């Protein structure tokens, strides 16, 4: 009661001081006054993994056979991810999803770049429609998956499946869409059905700063100077109907002119072959300026965007393709080849700084896409996850 009286008093004061501001912000201004201490609390570090998650030698995990690959996934660290839950006051207040969107938005504005990964646990979200409602009321700018190279399905407004990859495949650590000139600032994942304990399916996350410390200047500086060239080869579904990803799937059209328009508008070089297969490429920096902090950060998919991604994928298992016909290629920006052993070394180092945690139904994980990488380990049994991409 005391908190609500304080809120209303603060709102009346706001009205007297600035009626226009009070009108603009509406009741959201009331909710913002003392929400941190009233509605969310720091739930402390997550427990260690119930069952150790094997990495080295894991089937369909790219590069896991390399001699430097870590044996097991690291446990969660203090404040990574940072975990918050509703307070008893919040539960008693019976807040709507609109209320929660206001509370979560301010919490993210104040904390996301500090922690990089925030796990919201025990919010009143039961399905992807409610997740969509929360996402769309956060008032960030949504971003679609145009140009993305993974398999996802649209499920609700600004919500898609987290991944439609086969469950036996482990998705690499990555910054989402870092091979494109426009990427999402924020990745949000919602768990509707968690995997059973001991059955895999962990979402793994890694601080980019920890990864860069492992790489050192000897590896990062040549990429800073020379840049990165990403190249993709997409078969036509008429030529290779069972291939991992056709250009019709990637660009969500069967009209070549629309593909060319997208690539021209986004600065790609591209060409068609006589079988209507499509190859396109782009040069980008290995670093990106963070859209909120303005700091220059290591941001790329150098080792991920190579044939090693598809060579260890079940859909390529029985295909005999030359390497230049695989989905992804990556070069130095001047066209120079990147040593394969260097790529394997980079991948192994990346996994040494990754942590995993065990999902609970209703969890919402929010990541700063430039500061934190994410991945998914293979799993058995049910698991249902949804995703939304947004910009500051």
């Amino acid at each position: 009661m005391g908190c609500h009286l304080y809120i209303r008093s603060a709102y009346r004061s706001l009205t007297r001081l600035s009626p226009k501001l009070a009108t603009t912000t509406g009741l959201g201004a009331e909710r913002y006054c003392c929400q941190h201490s009233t509605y969310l609390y720091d739930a402390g570090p997550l427990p260690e993994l119930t069952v150790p998650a094997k990495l080295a030698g894991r089937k369909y995990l790219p590069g896991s056979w390399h001699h430097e690959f870590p044996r097991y996934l690291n446990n969660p660290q203090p404040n990574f991810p940072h975990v918050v839950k509703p307070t008893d006051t919040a539960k008693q207040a019976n807040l709507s999803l609109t209320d929660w969107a206001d509370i979560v938005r301010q919490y993210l504005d104040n904390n996301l770049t500090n922690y990089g990964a925030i796990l919201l646990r025990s919010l009143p979200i039961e399905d992807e429609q409610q997740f969509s409602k929360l996402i769309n009321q956060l008032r960030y700018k949504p971003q679609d998956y145009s140009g993305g190279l993974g398999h996802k399905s649209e499920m609700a407004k600004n919500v898609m499946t987290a991944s439609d990859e086969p469950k036996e495949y482990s998705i690499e650590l990555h910054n989402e869409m870092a091979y494109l000139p426009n990427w999402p600032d924020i990745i949000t994942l919602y768990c509707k059905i968690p995997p059973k304990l001991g059955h895999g399916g962990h979402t793994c996350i890694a601080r980019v700063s920890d990864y860069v410390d492992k790489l050192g200047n000897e590896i990062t500086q040549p990429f800073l100077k020379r840049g990165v060239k990403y190249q993709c080869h997409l078969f036509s579904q008429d030529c290779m109907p069972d291939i991992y990803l056709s250009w019709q799937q990637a660009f969500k059209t069967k009209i070549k002119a629309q593909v060319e328009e997208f690539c021209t508008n986004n600065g790609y070089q591209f060409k068609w072959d006589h079988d209507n297969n499509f190859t396109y490429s782009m040069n980008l920096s290995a670093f990106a300026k963070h859209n909120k902090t303005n700091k220059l950060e290591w941001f790329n998919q150098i080792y991920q965007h190579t044939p090693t991604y598809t060579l260890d994928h079940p859909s390529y298992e029985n295909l005999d393709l030359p390497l230049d016909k695989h989905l992804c290629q990556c070069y130095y920006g001047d066209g120079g080849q990147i040593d394969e052993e260097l790529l394997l070394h980079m991948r192994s180092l990346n996994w040494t700084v990754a942590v995993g945690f065990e999902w609970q139904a209703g969890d919402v994980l929010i990541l700063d896409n430039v500061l934190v990488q994410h991945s998914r380990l293979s799993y058995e049994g049910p698991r249902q996850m949804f995703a939304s991409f947004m910009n500051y």
Side-chain angles (χ1 to χ4, degrees):
M1 178 65 72
C3 181
H4 289 291
L5 289 174
Y6 167 73
I7 292 174
R8 297 191 181 281
S9 174
Y11 181 64
R12 286 194 293 269
S13 298
L14 177 65
T15 306
R16 289 195 297 270
L17 290 171
S18 178
K20 182 178 179 180
L21 178 60
T23 302
T24 302
T25 56
L27 293 180
E30 295 188 52
R31 288 191 290 268
Y32 286 174
C33 288
C34 58
Q35 66 185 33
H36 282 182
S37 59
T38 306
Y39 297 129
L40 290 172
Y41 76 96
D42 182 344
L46 291 172
E48 294 184 356
L49 301 178
T50 304
V51 178
K54 182 182 177 182
L55 295 179
R58 193 182 189 100
K59 190 174 183 180
Y60 299 132
L61 172 57
S64 64
W65 45 266
H66 190 255
H67 66 92
E68 293 181 301
F69 217 84
R71 292 185 62 192
Y72 293 99
L73 179 65
N74 294 315
N75 288 306
Q77 299 174 0
N79 280 323
F80 193 64
H82 176 66
V83 188
V84 291
K85 291 182 178 180
T87 62
D88 290 339
T89 300
K91 295 174 184 177
Q92 293 168 6
N94 194 27
L95 301 173
S96 68
L97 281 177
T98 301
D99 296 326
W100 276 116
D102 290 336
I103 294 166
V104 169
R105 172 60 192 261
Q106 189 184 23
Y107 196 86
L108 295 177
D109 286 348
N110 292 338
N111 294 283
L112 186 56
T113 56
N114 294 329
Y115 294 113
I118 295 177
L119 180 64
L120 302 170
R121 182 155 277 180
S122 303
L123 290 186
I125 298 176
E126 297 182 355
D127 57 34
E128 58 272 30
Q129 297 298 329
Q130 291 182 334
F131 175 56
S132 174
K133 184 176 181 180
L134 175 74
I135 288 297
N136 288 293
Q137 293 188 75
L138 287 175
R139 303 185 309 282
Y140 288 117
K141 300 173 185 176
Q143 177 160 332
D144 63 23
Y145 196 55
S146 298
L149 295 176
H151 286 292
K152 303 178 189 294
S153 303
E154 294 183 10
M155 302 301 293
K157 183 180 178 181
N158 296 322
V159 169
M160 58 194 137
T161 54
S163 176
D164 294 336
E165 291 281 4
K167 63 173 61 177
E168 63 267 28
Y169 183 70
S170 291
I171 301 171
E172 299 220 66
L173 289 161
H174 63 286
N175 300 94
E176 193 68 49
M177 301 168 76
Y179 47 81
L180 296 176
N182 299 303
W183 60 83
D185 294 320
I186 301 170
I187 307 300
T188 306
L189 299 172
Y190 160 64
C191 178
K192 183 177 181 180
I193 302 176
K196 294 181 180 179
L197 295 179
H199 286 68
H202 305 80
T203 290
C204 314
I205 56 176
R207 289 190 183 96
V208 172
S209 59
D210 292 342
Y211 177 37
V212 171
D213 287 344
K214 291 281 188 179
L215 292 174
N217 290 334
E218 184 178 351
I219 293 177
T220 60
Q221 289 307 299
F223 288 105
L224 176 62
K225 294 176 182 178
R226 301 172 68 179
V228 182
K229 179 182 179 180
Y230 298 106
Q231 180 175 297
C232 294
H233 180 80
L234 295 171
F235 284 97
S236 170
Q237 63 186 17
D238 300 322
C239 179
M240 294 278 284
D242 297 323
I243 197 66
Y244 171 76
L245 187 70
S246 67
W247 62 259
Q248 291 92 339
Q249 292 172 305
F251 293 100
K252 296 178 175 58
T253 181
K254 296 182 179 180
I255 302 173
K256 291 170 65 174
Q258 293 180 351
V259 176
E260 294 174 0
E261 181 181 10
F262 176 88
C263 290
T264 300
N265 291 341
N266 286 280
Y268 288 103
Q269 295 180 319
F270 59 88
K271 63 180 180 180
W272 300 92
D273 67 17
H274 62 280
D275 290 321
N276 282 330
N277 302 316
F278 188 61
T279 301
Y280 62 104
S281 62
M282 170 173 282
N283 283 47
L284 292 172
S285 172
F287 293 77
K289 188 172 74 170
H290 193 285
N291 283 331
K292 191 170 183 181
T293 67
N294 289 321
K295 293 180 180 178
L296 196 65
E297 305 286 354
W298 177 260
F299 186 77
N300 55 70
Q301 286 198 21
I302 291 171
Y303 74 75
Q304 299 93 334
H305 207 275
T306 65
T308 55
Y309 168 75
T310 44
L311 283 170
D312 283 316
H313 196 283
S315 65
Y316 277 75
E317 197 167 26
N318 297 315
L319 293 179
D320 185 17
L321 290 175
L323 291 181
D324 65 347
K325 299 303 181 185
H326 277 250
L327 177 64
C328 300
Q329 309 287 335
C330 191
Y331 308 93
Y332 286 106
D334 54 19
Q337 292 281 348
I338 304 172
D339 183 72
E340 183 177 351
E341 185 59 32
L342 174 61
L343 295 171
L344 293 169
H345 176 61
M346 292 171 67
R347 175 185 279 115
S348 296
L349 288 178
N350 204 168
W351 278 102
T352 65
V353 299
V355 307
F357 67 93
E358 292 162 345
W359 285 104
Q360 293 182 8
D363 282 352
V364 176
L365 179 66
I366 304 179
L367 306 173
D368 185 299
N369 186 38
V370 175
L371 302 180
V372 173
Q373 302 167 309
H374 63 284
S375 72
R376 184 209 74 188
L377 291 186
S378 59
Y379 63 97
E380 299 175 345
R383 181 185 189 270
Q384 195 169 18
M385 302 286 303
F386 299 92
S388 183
F389 299 162
M390 303 176 290
N391 292 301
Y392 288 119

